[in-house]
PDB file of all heavy atoms in Angstrom:
ATOM      1  N   ARG Z  22      -5.793  -8.429  10.496  1.00 98.00           N
ATOM      2  CA  ARG Z  22      -5.580  -6.989  10.660  1.00 98.00           C
ATOM      3  C   ARG Z  22      -4.356  -6.718  11.523  1.00 98.00           C
ATOM      4  O   ARG Z  22      -3.536  -5.853  11.212  1.00 98.00           O
ATOM      5  CB  ARG Z  22      -6.818  -6.347  11.290  1.00 98.00           C
ATOM      6  CG  ARG Z  22      -6.696  -4.842  11.486  1.00 98.00           C
ATOM      7  CD  ARG Z  22      -7.892  -4.283  12.226  1.00 98.00           C
ATOM      8  NE  ARG Z  22      -8.172  -4.978  13.479  1.00 98.00           N
ATOM      9  CZ  ARG Z  22      -7.511  -4.756  14.625  1.00 98.00           C
ATOM     10  NH1 ARG Z  22      -6.530  -3.880  14.656  1.00 98.00           N
ATOM     11  NH2 ARG Z  22      -7.831  -5.429  15.717  1.00 98.00           N
ATOM     12  N   GLN Z  23      -4.192  -7.477  12.599  1.00 98.00           N
ATOM     13  CA  GLN Z  23      -3.038  -7.301  13.475  1.00 98.00           C
ATOM     14  C   GLN Z  23      -1.740  -7.626  12.752  1.00 98.00           C
ATOM     15  O   GLN Z  23      -0.743  -6.924  12.918  1.00 98.00           O
ATOM     16  CB  GLN Z  23      -3.181  -8.162  14.721  1.00 98.00           C
ATOM     17  CG  GLN Z  23      -4.212  -7.658  15.685  1.00 98.00           C
ATOM     18  CD  GLN Z  23      -4.364  -8.564  16.892  1.00 98.00           C
ATOM     19  OE1 GLN Z  23      -3.899  -9.700  16.894  1.00 98.00           O
ATOM     20  NE2 GLN Z  23      -5.031  -8.068  17.920  1.00 98.00           N
ATOM     21  N   VAL Z  24      -1.734  -8.678  11.935  1.00 97.00           N
ATOM     22  CA  VAL Z  24      -0.539  -9.025  11.164  1.00 97.00           C
ATOM     23  C   VAL Z  24      -0.204  -7.904  10.186  1.00 97.00           C
ATOM     24  O   VAL Z  24       0.960  -7.496  10.058  1.00 97.00           O
ATOM     25  CB  VAL Z  24      -0.741 -10.362  10.425  1.00 97.00           C
ATOM     26  CG1 VAL Z  24       0.348 -10.594   9.397  1.00 97.00           C
ATOM     27  CG2 VAL Z  24      -0.795 -11.509  11.415  1.00 97.00           C
ATOM     28  N   ARG Z  25      -1.224  -7.383   9.501  1.00 97.00           N
ATOM     29  CA  ARG Z  25      -1.012  -6.297   8.546  1.00 97.00           C
ATOM     30  C   ARG Z  25      -0.454  -5.069   9.245  1.00 97.00           C
ATOM     31  O   ARG Z  25       0.493  -4.425   8.754  1.00 97.00           O
ATOM     32  CB  ARG Z  25      -2.339  -5.967   7.862  1.00 97.00           C
ATOM     33  CG  ARG Z  25      -2.193  -5.139   6.628  1.00 97.00           C
ATOM     34  CD  ARG Z  25      -3.516  -4.898   5.896  1.00 97.00           C
ATOM     35  NE  ARG Z  25      -4.519  -5.916   6.082  1.00 97.00           N
ATOM     36  CZ  ARG Z  25      -5.692  -5.729   6.712  1.00 97.00           C
ATOM     37  NH1 ARG Z  25      -6.002  -4.550   7.205  1.00 97.00           N
ATOM     38  NH2 ARG Z  25      -6.556  -6.709   6.845  1.00 97.00           N
ATOM     39  N   GLN Z  26      -0.988  -4.735  10.419  1.00 97.00           N
ATOM     40  CA  GLN Z  26      -0.493  -3.574  11.161  1.00 97.00           C
ATOM     41  C   GLN Z  26       0.937  -3.781  11.639  1.00 97.00           C
ATOM     42  O   GLN Z  26       1.747  -2.849  11.613  1.00 97.00           O
ATOM     43  CB  GLN Z  26      -1.400  -3.293  12.351  1.00 97.00           C
ATOM     44  CG  GLN Z  26      -2.725  -2.706  11.973  1.00 97.00           C
ATOM     45  CD  GLN Z  26      -3.636  -2.491  13.170  1.00 97.00           C
ATOM     46  OE1 GLN Z  26      -3.403  -3.051  14.250  1.00 97.00           O
ATOM     47  NE2 GLN Z  26      -4.675  -1.693  12.989  1.00 97.00           N
ATOM     48  N   ALA Z  27       1.280  -5.000  12.060  1.00 97.00           N
ATOM     49  CA  ALA Z  27       2.646  -5.282  12.509  1.00 97.00           C
ATOM     50  C   ALA Z  27       3.622  -5.144  11.355  1.00 97.00           C
ATOM     51  O   ALA Z  27       4.715  -4.575  11.517  1.00 97.00           O
ATOM     52  CB  ALA Z  27       2.729  -6.679  13.108  1.00 97.00           C
ATOM     53  N   ARG Z  28       3.257  -5.658  10.187  1.00 96.00           N
ATOM     54  CA  ARG Z  28       4.138  -5.526   9.017  1.00 96.00           C
ATOM     55  C   ARG Z  28       4.329  -4.074   8.637  1.00 96.00           C
ATOM     56  O   ARG Z  28       5.443  -3.643   8.331  1.00 96.00           O
ATOM     57  CB  ARG Z  28       3.552  -6.297   7.830  1.00 96.00           C
ATOM     58  CG  ARG Z  28       3.693  -7.778   7.939  1.00 96.00           C
ATOM     59  CD  ARG Z  28       3.094  -8.471   6.747  1.00 96.00           C
ATOM     60  NE  ARG Z  28       3.177  -9.918   6.881  1.00 96.00           N
ATOM     61  CZ  ARG Z  28       2.484 -10.766   6.161  1.00 96.00           C
ATOM     62  NH1 ARG Z  28       1.645 -10.331   5.244  1.00 96.00           N
ATOM     63  NH2 ARG Z  28       2.615 -12.058   6.350  1.00 96.00           N
ATOM     64  N   GLN Z  29       3.241  -3.310   8.659  1.00 96.00           N
ATOM     65  CA  GLN Z  29       3.333  -1.897   8.316  1.00 96.00           C
ATOM     66  C   GLN Z  29       4.212  -1.149   9.319  1.00 96.00           C
ATOM     67  O   GLN Z  29       5.046  -0.323   8.933  1.00 96.00           O
ATOM     68  CB  GLN Z  29       1.942  -1.283   8.267  1.00 96.00           C
ATOM     69  CG  GLN Z  29       1.933   0.165   7.840  1.00 96.00           C
ATOM     70  CD  GLN Z  29       0.527   0.727   7.782  1.00 96.00           C
ATOM     71  OE1 GLN Z  29      -0.433   0.064   8.167  1.00 96.00           O
ATOM     72  NE2 GLN Z  29       0.396   1.936   7.305  1.00 96.00           N
ATOM     73  N   ALA Z  30       4.065  -1.457  10.596  1.00 95.00           N
ATOM     74  CA  ALA Z  30       4.880  -0.804  11.625  1.00 95.00           C
ATOM     75  C   ALA Z  30       6.349  -1.161  11.452  1.00 95.00           C
ATOM     76  O   ALA Z  30       7.228  -0.312  11.630  1.00 95.00           O
ATOM     77  CB  ALA Z  30       4.392  -1.215  13.006  1.00 95.00           C
ATOM     78  N   ARG Z  31       6.622  -2.413  11.099  1.00 94.00           N
ATOM     79  CA  ARG Z  31       8.003  -2.844  10.881  1.00 94.00           C
ATOM     80  C   ARG Z  31       8.617  -2.109   9.695  1.00 94.00           C
ATOM     81  O   ARG Z  31       9.769  -1.660   9.748  1.00 94.00           O
ATOM     82  CB  ARG Z  31       8.030  -4.359  10.649  1.00 94.00           C
ATOM     83  CG  ARG Z  31       9.374  -4.970  10.922  1.00 94.00           C
ATOM     84  CD  ARG Z  31       9.366  -6.482  10.789  1.00 94.00           C
ATOM     85  NE  ARG Z  31       8.231  -7.108  11.447  1.00 94.00           N
ATOM     86  CZ  ARG Z  31       7.487  -8.071  10.902  1.00 94.00           C
ATOM     87  NH1 ARG Z  31       7.738  -8.513   9.702  1.00 94.00           N
ATOM     88  NH2 ARG Z  31       6.480  -8.610  11.563  1.00 94.00           N
ATOM     89  N   LYS Z  32       7.834  -1.951   8.611  1.00 93.00           N
ATOM     90  CA  LYS Z  32       8.328  -1.218   7.443  1.00 93.00           C
ATOM     91  C   LYS Z  32       8.618   0.237   7.786  1.00 93.00           C
ATOM     92  O   LYS Z  32       9.635   0.789   7.390  1.00 93.00           O
ATOM     93  CB  LYS Z  32       7.299  -1.275   6.312  1.00 93.00           C
ATOM     94  CG  LYS Z  32       7.275  -2.568   5.556  1.00 93.00           C
ATOM     95  CD  LYS Z  32       6.261  -2.476   4.419  1.00 93.00           C
ATOM     96  CE  LYS Z  32       6.126  -3.780   3.677  1.00 93.00           C
ATOM     97  NZ  LYS Z  32       5.137  -3.681   2.597  1.00 93.00           N
ATOM     98  N   GLU Z  33       7.699   0.862   8.523  1.00 92.00           N
ATOM     99  CA  GLU Z  33       7.890   2.260   8.901  1.00 92.00           C
ATOM    100  C   GLU Z  33       9.097   2.431   9.813  1.00 92.00           C
ATOM    101  O   GLU Z  33       9.849   3.392   9.687  1.00 92.00           O
ATOM    102  CB  GLU Z  33       6.631   2.796   9.574  1.00 92.00           C
ATOM    103  CG  GLU Z  33       5.474   2.985   8.623  1.00 92.00           C
ATOM    104  CD  GLU Z  33       4.222   3.471   9.319  1.00 92.00           C
ATOM    105  OE1 GLU Z  33       4.311   3.876  10.497  1.00 92.00           O
ATOM    106  OE2 GLU Z  33       3.164   3.453   8.679  1.00 92.00           O
ATOM    107  N   ALA Z  34       9.301   1.499  10.717  1.00 90.00           N
ATOM    108  CA  ALA Z  34      10.447   1.569  11.621  1.00 90.00           C
ATOM    109  C   ALA Z  34      11.752   1.436  10.830  1.00 90.00           C
ATOM    110  O   ALA Z  34      12.721   2.146  11.104  1.00 90.00           O
ATOM    111  CB  ALA Z  34      10.360   0.481  12.677  1.00 90.00           C
ATOM    112  N   ALA Z  35      11.767   0.542   9.855  1.00 87.00           N
ATOM    113  CA  ALA Z  35      12.970   0.374   9.040  1.00 87.00           C
ATOM    114  C   ALA Z  35      13.215   1.616   8.182  1.00 87.00           C
ATOM    115  O   ALA Z  35      14.353   2.043   7.995  1.00 87.00           O
ATOM    116  CB  ALA Z  35      12.829  -0.858   8.152  1.00 87.00           C
ATOM    117  N   ARG Z  36      12.142   2.203   7.698  1.00 88.00           N
ATOM    118  CA  ARG Z  36      12.263   3.390   6.861  1.00 88.00           C
ATOM    119  C   ARG Z  36      12.757   4.580   7.674  1.00 88.00           C
ATOM    120  O   ARG Z  36      13.533   5.406   7.189  1.00 88.00           O
ATOM    121  CB  ARG Z  36      10.898   3.709   6.245  1.00 88.00           C
ATOM    122  CG  ARG Z  36      10.942   4.744   5.164  1.00 88.00           C
ATOM    123  CD  ARG Z  36       9.580   4.975   4.539  1.00 88.00           C
ATOM    124  NE  ARG Z  36       8.963   3.723   4.114  1.00 88.00           N
ATOM    125  CZ  ARG Z  36       7.696   3.390   4.372  1.00 88.00           C
ATOM    126  NH1 ARG Z  36       6.916   4.202   5.035  1.00 88.00           N
ATOM    127  NH2 ARG Z  36       7.212   2.241   3.951  1.00 88.00           N
ATOM    128  N   ASN Z  37      12.327   4.662   8.919  1.00 87.00           N
ATOM    129  CA  ASN Z  37      12.681   5.810   9.760  1.00 87.00           C
ATOM    130  C   ASN Z  37      13.931   5.575  10.599  1.00 87.00           C
ATOM    131  O   ASN Z  37      14.281   6.431  11.409  1.00 87.00           O
ATOM    132  CB  ASN Z  37      11.506   6.151  10.681  1.00 87.00           C
ATOM    133  CG  ASN Z  37      10.303   6.618   9.906  1.00 87.00           C
ATOM    134  OD1 ASN Z  37      10.439   7.171   8.825  1.00 87.00           O
ATOM    135  ND2 ASN Z  37       9.123   6.367  10.442  1.00 87.00           N
TER     136      ASN Z  37
END
Side-chain angles (χ1 to χ4, degrees):
R22 181 185 53 80
Q23 287 178 345
V24 168
R25 195 176 333 115
Q26 287 177 344
R28 285 180 183 164
Q29 183 179 6
R31 201 176 314 135
K32 282 183 184 179
E33 289 178 12
R36 191 177 308 133
N37 295 332

